[in-house]
Amino acid sequence: MTFSEKPNAVPAVEMQEITLRFPGVLANDRVNFTMYPGEIHALLGENGAGKSTLMNALTGLYKPQSGEIRIHGKKVSFNSPKDAIAHGIGMVHQHFMLVENQTVTENILIGLDTPRFGLNLKKYDDEVSHLAEQFGIHIDPTARIWQLSVGEQQRVEILKILYRGADILIMDEPTAVLAPQEADELMDTLKEMAAQGKAIAFISHKLAEVKQVADKLTVLRRGRATAERVDLQEYTRESLASLMVGREVIFNLHKCEQEPGREILRLEAVCALNNKNLPALRDVDLSLHEGEIFGIAGVAGNGQSELVEVITGLRECSGNVWLEGKNIANKPPSFSISQGLAHIPEDRIGVGTAPNLSLTGNIIMKRYDQEPVSQKWQLNYVAADALAGNLKDEYDIQAPSVQTQARKLSGGNLQKLILARELSSTPRLIVAMQPTRGLDIGAIEGVRQLLLRQRELGTAILLVSEDLDELLSLSDRIAVMYEGHVVGVLCSGDFDITNIGLMMTGTLPQDLPPEQEAPKDPAPGSASAFDEVLDHVKDYEQIEQAIPPAGQPVIITEEELPPAEDPDAGLSEKERVLRKVLGKKYAEGDEE
Amino acid sequence: MNWIEIFRSGISTGTVLLIAAIGEILTERSGIQNLGVEGMMLVGAMAGFKIAYQTGNVWLGLLAAIAAGGLLSLAHAVVTIHFQADQTVSGLSLTFLGTGLALVLGEGLTGQVAPIIPRASVPLLSQIPYLGQVVFSDHNLLVYFGYLLVPITWYYINKTRPGLHLRAVGENPAAADTLGVNIYRTRYLYTFVGGCFAGLAGAAISVAIAPGWYSNLTVNGQGWIAVALVIFAHWNPWRAALGGYLFGVLRRFTLDLQGPRMLFGLANPFFFNTNLVFFLQMTPYLLTIIALVWGSSAARKKRIGSPAALGTAYQRGERGR
């Protein structure tokens, strides 16, 4: 048991009957939220359920219309974030609140009363390093924010709060922006902080990570709590999901069996440079067929973005890109679009939509020159609005009207808007990059079903994703990319998360440890070479199974584990690499 | 040509640009763009000259100029910070408003003589050959004020706590807000300070460097040059000083170029053909454009540039970019 359960412990946070109303929206309706020191408390809910609003009331950004907030037993009323900080409350926002061209230390010092006037950064650099070490965080205090990776930036945010002596931390969807291995590091940091007595509220809509890290749980749906401070063990993934969404969620999507048809897309020896003029794609050959979802796996930055840009005509390349017999390499996007190409880009706001245009404006972007929207030399806005209205209903885009600006939509609705535009043009090929990233469960389900529907209609779909679960459940074939090469292609029957993980690190037979007798001089990437990898993987899976888990049999709960134990101890070198690439979630397998 | 005189007067006239530009740097660093510098300078020039003329005390005139520029800038602050109106439009209106006010209130001042800010030399330093003569000898007191202003502003912006808050508010107001920095107060303050400096810059013309009131020819577009200078300077006081003095020297140089009959042993074309003088007068502005283009591409490479939130109103909890 965590020490929060001691009989006379005072809750760190007690929010009672909180009601918060915005013009036209009831964001929080009599919500209770209680949290004890040393506890990680997950706040689960879909986008727009009121999680962030509730927490912003705790940080003093919003003022609730009714309800009570007690901090360590004392009733408080916050007028500004400064009041909340004074009570030891700090929040790591989903979109980092950092000043890009200032140093780590400078960012930490903003808003503090000391130093009084002169900054004397050197002294504070040392203080920051010291504080970071205390919680096992690695950071260079003199680095400027724009030089840091997203994971490091998040550590700055955490340090900002710790430096203020906060003992109540709020993490707003902290893993949404992180790569799997960064997310694992974050989880370790959070557990370390909880062990030191901090109370941590963890906002999320990802069930897996909530199960991984949290002690207690509160679920919100449309501003109301559907579960308040419950134990996580009592719930399965499915029951949690239905608490969030309010209906059954289909985790295993129905994918009908069908034979792929004729070839739609063919890449031959495609090479391209990235933005820094370094090779990003090296001799990529791919082939996509009708009614096939072709997944691209890989650690971010191994050429996936460039591949998508080459196919959609946004990046120059050498080699050939055949779309139904026509070479679309280095052709303008308008040509590819006329040949039936649809693009669901990674960056929904910057590339996917024009944020300041209306729904209608965004919908007609690809068909402004077609009847009935185009009438001789002018646009028929009546027809355009009608078209947008139909698509808004068909794709269930939640917006007041078709005149609403796209930037006012939530992430899920924005993605639906893009899908409505792209899929309604009856494409032959869909290039989708991270189509569900950052969306909540309900929206993810919707997007995946739309993609499967297109597959049934015989469209070829290229799906680039960093979510391996998504790739495994949707794809007919998966290609793994590493440093611009396609390391290998797996077919639906052979999917194995461990194999894919090994290939994502670029593991080829010649890289394997010497005690494994490697073939003398295998051709890289050839079928036989790849079989070798699979054999080795099997070997060491067996070794893993042979060793009984240390300590007690069967299930070991979090509390019983000695706190300081290195989670990676006793693992083989390769297992460590795998964990780094895939995150623990995958390496340990899904126990749920 | 007297090179020492060219540099001397370049530094004098450059001081006006420097003061106005530093004020605008402070304002823009907080995320507010005030294009009304020209108007505020004109009001400052008029107020400074009028009060100095009426009271016979030039220091009172200087104070009046600072107050007038500051007050006018508050109009911009209310419109853009409180009512969140477009900063470009408001700034342009401020120029018209300021020009109109100055011309009406300055009626009858043309041709009058008012006391001016005294001149002084720096002991010892003025004895340095050439440099002493150019930089430290017999300058208006405001010129020395300009010298001090540059390092002080730089230190204030980069090395102090209020400066840190100023930068944070201009770069990422939402971040500063969550840490308890009062965005509205900060922006009001620095818009006001920028206005005060613009007013002072105006008075630096009318009661110090080029004394007199010549209606809207008093300032004659220098407010706009100051705005451009801020961009050229990448919001850095040192570069603003460099640009201001350089521009001052150029203006004087092009004037002096028209004087002599012979240049480098050849007939001086600017002396004999008055039409060519127009082109000569363009060169400082042409150079401004070139410097801007060159400066901004260099800035992109080094990742320095305008404050990220420049020109955008701040409101809590607003969605979208």
Side-chain angles (χ1 to χ4, degrees):
Chain A
M1 284 287 113
T2 52
F3 73 90
S4 61
E5 300 300 315
K6 282 177 193 160
N8 49 8
V10 180
V13 177
E14 232 182 325
M15 299 177 86
Q16 283 173 346
E17 302 276 306
I18 298 292
T19 300
L20 232 157
R21 212 174 272 114
F22 294 119
V25 190
L26 185 57
N28 287 141
D29 185 8
R30 285 165 290 148
V31 178
N32 298 319
F33 181 79
T34 307
M35 187 161 67
Y36 285 84
E39 163 179 301
I40 301 181
H41 191 137
L43 190 56
L44 198 65
E46 290 194 281
N47 289 336
K51 305 174 303 244
S52 302
T53 311
L54 184 68
M55 289 299 111
N56 278 327
L58 190 54
T59 56
L61 220 48
Y62 302 142
K63 212 173 157 65
Q65 272 85 10
S66 72
E68 253 184 40
I69 302 176
R70 287 169 194 278
I71 304 297
H72 297 300
K74 261 187 243 151
K75 190 170 180 239
V76 293
S77 171
F78 297 147
N79 289 315
S80 86
K82 209 162 186 159
D83 297 342
I85 295 166
H87 281 84
I89 300 170
M91 180 157 174
V92 174
H93 292 264
Q94 190 180 359
H95 305 287
F96 296 150
M97 298 286 190
L98 294 170
V99 181
E100 290 262 311
N101 57 7
Q102 290 183 1
T103 69
V104 171
T105 306
E106 282 182 316
N107 266 280
I108 290 170
L109 293 181
I110 295 171
L112 290 175
D113 292 333
T114 52
R116 286 278 352 141
F117 192 75
L119 281 181
N120 187 15
L121 277 179
K122 192 134 182 50
K123 174 182 153 213
Y124 290 95
D125 283 343
D126 292 342
E127 275 186 26
V128 169
S129 311
H130 185 74
L131 180 74
E133 267 168 41
Q134 198 184 325
F135 291 92
I137 297 171
H138 301 285
I139 199 90
D140 170 14
T142 60
R144 289 183 189 276
I145 298 301
W146 59 267
Q147 297 168 321
L148 301 179
S149 73
V150 178
E152 288 173 313
Q153 293 186 11
Q154 190 171 55
R155 279 173 238 160
V156 179
E157 285 279 23
I158 293 173
L159 278 175
K160 224 157 79 173
I161 294 169
L162 293 176
Y163 189 85
R164 283 161 173 73
D167 50 10
I168 299 165
L169 277 87
I170 304 161
M171 309 287 299
D172 190 357
E173 304 198 12
T175 58
V177 289
L178 300 183
Q181 68 269 34
E182 287 178 322
D184 282 342
E185 276 174 44
L186 172 71
M187 298 300 171
D188 291 342
T189 307
L190 290 185
K191 282 177 183 163
E192 175 64 37
M193 291 193 295
Q196 297 190 24
K198 313 268 181 205
I200 299 167
F202 187 94
I203 305 179
S204 179
H205 53 64
K206 291 184 191 160
L207 299 172
E209 68 183 26
V210 163
K211 294 219 81 167
Q212 189 189 343
V213 76
D215 307 312
K216 295 284 179 182
L217 174 76
T218 294
V219 184
L220 290 184
R221 186 172 76 231
R222 293 192 189 159
R224 308 194 63 158
T226 50
E228 277 175 9
R229 203 180 152 68
V230 295
D231 278 311
L232 262 166
Q233 285 89 329
E234 296 166 19
Y235 290 89
T236 61
R237 209 155 84 117
E238 283 72 18
S239 62
L240 283 179
S242 60
L243 276 177
M244 268 171 71
V245 185
R247 60 184 159 81
E248 292 291 310
V249 176
I250 310 150
F251 275 105
N252 294 313
L253 292 163
H254 171 70
K255 200 167 95 181
C256 67
E257 291 298 321
Q258 63 182 37
E259 285 298 308
R262 61 197 174 83
E263 188 175 69
I264 299 280
L265 179 77
R266 178 179 198 84
L267 270 68
E268 289 172 350
V270 170
C271 297
L273 301 177
N274 65 13
N275 289 342
K276 291 172 188 158
N277 279 328
L278 300 170
L281 293 179
R282 307 165 203 244
D283 282 329
V284 172
D285 297 306
L286 287 177
S287 162
L288 251 82
H289 298 263
E290 269 182 334
E292 177 184 53
I293 297 185
F294 190 91
I296 303 277
V299 178
N302 274 293
Q304 299 98 311
S305 314
E306 287 81 5
L307 178 69
V308 166
E309 286 168 358
V310 159
I311 296 172
T312 51
L314 299 174
R315 183 174 291 274
E316 283 183 13
C317 66
S318 63
N320 296 317
V321 182
W322 301 101
L323 176 60
E324 292 202 292
K326 292 207 171 90
N327 193 348
I328 58 167
N330 301 319
K331 289 268 167 47
S334 61
F335 178 77
S336 320
I337 289 169
S338 71
Q339 298 305 308
L341 179 109
H343 180 200
I344 299 164
E346 181 180 23
D347 179 3
R348 285 164 211 150
I349 294 175
V351 180
T353 53
N356 287 331
L357 289 191
S358 65
L359 256 60
T360 305
N362 277 288
I363 289 279
I364 63 171
M365 258 178 208
K366 279 176 76 178
R367 50 173 78 178
Y368 63 90
D369 54 349
Q370 295 163 18
E371 297 267 353
V373 176
S374 156
Q375 257 179 9
K376 301 199 176 102
W377 50 273
Q378 57 185 354
L379 288 177
N380 181 348
Y381 266 102
V382 178
D385 282 340
L387 172 78
N390 286 340
L391 288 174
K392 177 172 172 289
D393 293 340
E394 190 184 333
Y395 287 83
D396 190 29
I397 302 168
Q398 300 290 326
S401 82
V402 290
Q403 305 300 343
T404 311
Q405 286 180 329
R407 71 186 167 92
K408 295 197 172 133
L409 299 181
S410 70
N413 282 309
L414 198 64
Q415 187 69 317
K416 283 188 205 162
L417 171 66
I418 295 169
L419 285 165
R421 180 184 67 215
E422 298 297 327
L423 303 187
S424 63
S425 60
T426 55
R428 301 294 297 139
L429 170 70
I430 298 170
V431 179
M433 179 135 191
Q434 308 274 24
T436 61
R437 177 150 86 178
L439 304 186
D440 56 53
I441 295 187
I444 288 175
E445 186 198 1
V447 169
R448 289 185 183 163
Q449 272 175 346
L450 280 171
L451 288 179
L452 286 176
R453 172 99 190 87
Q454 286 293 323
R455 172 177 174 269
E456 280 168 36
L457 291 172
T459 315
I461 299 171
L462 186 81
L463 175 67
V464 182
S465 181
E466 278 168 41
D467 182 347
L468 286 183
D469 288 334
E470 172 167 285
L471 286 176
L472 292 177
S473 60
L474 292 182
S475 308
D476 296 292
R477 285 189 297 156
I478 295 179
V480 184
M481 288 192 71
Y482 177 72
E483 297 203 333
H485 294 284
V486 171
V487 185
V489 179
L490 297 175
C491 290
S492 187
D494 308 331
F495 288 168
D496 182 312
I497 204 129
T498 320
N499 298 348
I500 296 177
L502 273 178
M503 290 160 75
M504 277 162 72
T505 58
T507 311
L508 287 171
Q510 62 264 40
D511 302 326
L512 289 172
E515 73 264 23
Q516 316 275 1
E517 43 178 63
K520 280 145 214 154
D521 197 13
S526 72
S528 68
F530 182 60
D531 286 341
E532 284 291 331
V533 180
L534 295 191
D535 288 342
H536 293 313
V537 171
K538 276 179 201 138
D539 283 347
Y540 95 125
E541 269 178 351
Q542 279 161 8
I543 295 167
E544 277 290 301
Q545 281 163 7
I547 303 168
Q552 300 310 305
V554 214
I555 304 150
I556 309 168
T557 55
E558 212 66 73
E559 299 86 58
E560 283 156 346
L561 276 174
E565 194 191 332
D566 177 10
D568 284 359
L571 296 177
S572 68
E573 183 60 31
K574 199 184 286 173
E575 181 74 53
R576 265 176 226 177
V577 172
L578 257 185
R579 284 192 175 203
K580 256 195 129 43
V581 178
L582 298 175
K584 277 171 203 159
K585 187 175 63 158
Y586 299 116
E588 283 168 0
D590 223 343
E591 293 113 354
E592 295 129 42
Chain B
M1 264 183 288
N2 183 346
W3 287 100
I4 287 184
E5 197 44 49
I6 288 175
F7 281 110
R8 271 182 56 79
S9 97
I11 283 178
S12 288
T13 45
T15 300
V16 174
L17 295 174
L18 171 69
I19 294 173
I22 284 200
E24 183 68 5
I25 285 175
L26 287 169
T27 305
E28 295 201 1
R29 278 293 183 110
S30 80
I32 298 290
Q33 184 168 49
N34 190 348
L35 294 180
V37 179
E38 176 83 5
M40 296 187 294
M41 278 175 76
L42 206 53
V43 166
M46 181 280 300
F49 186 81
K50 188 167 186 170
I51 298 300
Y53 169 68
Q54 286 176 348
T55 63
N57 185 333
V58 65
W59 301 106
L60 279 181
L62 219 53
L63 275 180
I66 293 173
L71 277 178
L72 193 58
S73 74
L74 282 183
H76 183 66
V78 171
V79 168
T80 59
I81 302 169
H82 194 84
F83 294 106
Q84 314 202 336
D86 188 278
Q87 295 182 9
T88 308
V89 176
S90 169
L92 290 174
S93 329
L94 202 68
T95 296
F96 295 124
L97 178 66
T99 311
L101 272 178
L103 294 190
V104 171
L105 297 176
E107 188 65 36
L109 290 178
T110 315
Q112 304 294 345
V113 178
I116 63 166
I117 302 275
R119 291 164 170 273
S121 296
V122 181
L124 295 177
L125 288 177
S126 54
Q127 305 302 317
I128 307 169
Y130 301 113
L131 185 75
Q133 280 175 284
V134 171
V135 183
F136 296 112
S137 130
D138 196 32
H139 270 307
N140 196 284
L141 285 180
L142 283 177
V143 173
Y144 301 114
F145 172 73
Y147 296 162
L148 294 178
L149 192 59
V150 177
I152 290 174
T153 336
W154 179 85
Y155 181 82
Y156 180 82
I157 292 176
N158 292 296
K159 299 287 171 190
T160 71
R161 182 172 71 112
L164 176 70
H165 290 179
L166 166 64
R167 280 182 287 143
V169 168
E171 291 288 341
N172 190 344
D177 193 20
T178 54
L179 294 172
V181 179
N182 189 326
I183 309 299
Y184 301 105
R185 195 197 293 160
T186 308
R187 289 188 160 180
Y188 264 100
L189 175 67
Y190 288 105
T191 308
F192 180 73
V193 169
C196 291
F197 275 109
L200 177 64
I205 303 173
S206 64
V207 297
I209 285 148
W213 173 251
Y214 311 99
S215 69
N216 54 352
L217 286 176
T218 317
V219 176
N220 197 17
Q222 291 191 66
W224 294 111
I225 297 170
V227 170
L229 203 57
V230 171
I231 302 167
F232 164 76
H234 304 326
W235 295 264
N236 175 342
W238 289 107
R239 288 184 58 118
L242 178 77
Y245 293 138
L246 196 70
F247 201 85
V249 169
L250 266 173
R251 267 167 59 123
R252 178 57 193 254
F253 176 68
T254 51
L255 268 180
D256 278 20
L257 212 52
Q258 297 159 39
R261 289 176 146 266
M262 302 290 281
L263 267 183
F264 312 113
L266 294 167
N268 181 356
F270 302 112
F271 184 83
F272 294 104
N273 187 342
T274 44
N275 282 336
L276 280 178
V277 172
F278 292 119
F279 288 94
L280 202 58
Q281 284 167 346
M282 286 179 208
T283 45
Y285 302 93
L286 203 64
L287 280 173
T288 309
I289 294 174
I290 293 169
L292 276 178
V293 172
W294 171 76
S296 61
S297 71
R300 258 200 305 280
K301 278 181 205 135
K302 284 199 221 146
R303 219 186 160 93
I304 40 177
S306 63
L310 182 63
T312 56
Y314 178 69
Q315 190 177 18
R316 257 184 209 169
E318 196 183 49
R319 187 195 292 249
R321 313 186 196 180

